[in-house]
């Protein structure tokens, strides 16, 4: 049985095959995937085209709303500050992430965006989902480039 994180991992692998950093995301509502994406920063020449941002944009278009209050977001790497902000603004209900990101993460590492008093929405957060596979994808990607 395919899990929602497996779908995010499929998107991460596809992003890596395109030469993008292999990060993938799936957004789920009522048990169904309504949007999925991998990183597209190179393809779109857009530093904001992280997997989470692309998937949030797609989910908002599907729902016809900027609010994803009854949606869960699965992503293979701990979101950065920009993506954590987008998750908060979209009012995502739950965040599930794979690998922790001690350098660029902003959920359980770094600025810990959702713990900030100025953060207006805090999703439930669950980390280390399929962490080994998500970490291995990133490690292989960067080893080849070094």
């Amino acid at each position: 049985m395919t899990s929602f994180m497996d779908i995010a991992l499929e998107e991460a692998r596809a992003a890596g095959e395109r030469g993008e950093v292999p990060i993938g995301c799936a957004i789920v509502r009522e048990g169904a995937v309504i949007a999925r994406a991998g990183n597209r920063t190179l393809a779109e020449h857009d530093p904001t085209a992280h997997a989470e941002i692309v998937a949030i944009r797609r989910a908002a278009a599907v729902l016809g709303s900027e609010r994803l209050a009854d949606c869960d977001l699965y992503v293979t790497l701990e979101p950065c500050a920009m993506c954590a902000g987008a998750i908060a603004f979209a009012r995502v209900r739950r965040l599930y992430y794979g690998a922790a990101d001690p350098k660029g993460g902003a959920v359980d590492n770094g600025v810990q965006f959702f713990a900030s008093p100025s953060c207006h929405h805090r999703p439930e957060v669950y980390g280390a989902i399929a962490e080994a596979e998500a970490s291995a994808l990133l490690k292989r990607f960067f080893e080849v480039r070094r």
Side-chain angles (χ1 to χ4, degrees):
M1 184 169 131
T2 300
S3 75
F4 298 127
M5 187 58 82
D6 288 334
I7 293 167
L9 286 162
E10 286 175 17
E11 290 292 332
R13 284 189 286 277
E17 289 169 9
R18 293 190 308 270
E20 302 274 2
V21 175
I23 299 170
C25 181
I27 298 180
V28 177
R29 181 176 184 236
E30 297 175 359
V33 175
I34 62 166
R36 54 192 289 172
N39 270 6
R40 299 199 50 80
T41 59
L42 299 175
E44 296 184 11
H45 307 289
D46 180 355
T48 70
H50 289 195
E52 301 96 306
I53 302 292
V54 176
I56 286 169
R57 289 174 181 155
R58 290 176 180 172
V62 165
L63 297 178
S65 174
E66 74 283 7
R67 300 285 188 242
L68 308 178
D70 55 352
C71 295
D72 301 332
L73 187 147
Y74 293 77
V75 64
T76 58
L77 184 67
E78 177 184 357
C80 68
M82 174 183 70
C83 292
I87 289 165
F89 280 109
R91 309 289 200 280
V92 169
R93 177 177 53 188
R94 292 183 199 103
L95 165 64
Y96 298 89
Y97 72 84
D101 186 356
K103 283 183 166 180
V107 176
D108 290 321
N109 288 287
V111 299
Q112 298 181 355
F113 187 88
F114 301 129
S116 170
S118 62
C119 180
H120 61 281
H121 173 77
R122 294 165 182 84
E124 294 175 33
V125 175
Y126 303 92
I129 312 297
E131 180 178 25
E133 189 171 354
S135 292
L137 274 173
L138 288 159
K139 188 174 288 189
R140 280 192 304 269
F141 178 83
F142 287 111
E143 281 174 353
V144 169
R145 280 151 179 77
R146 290 188 181 133

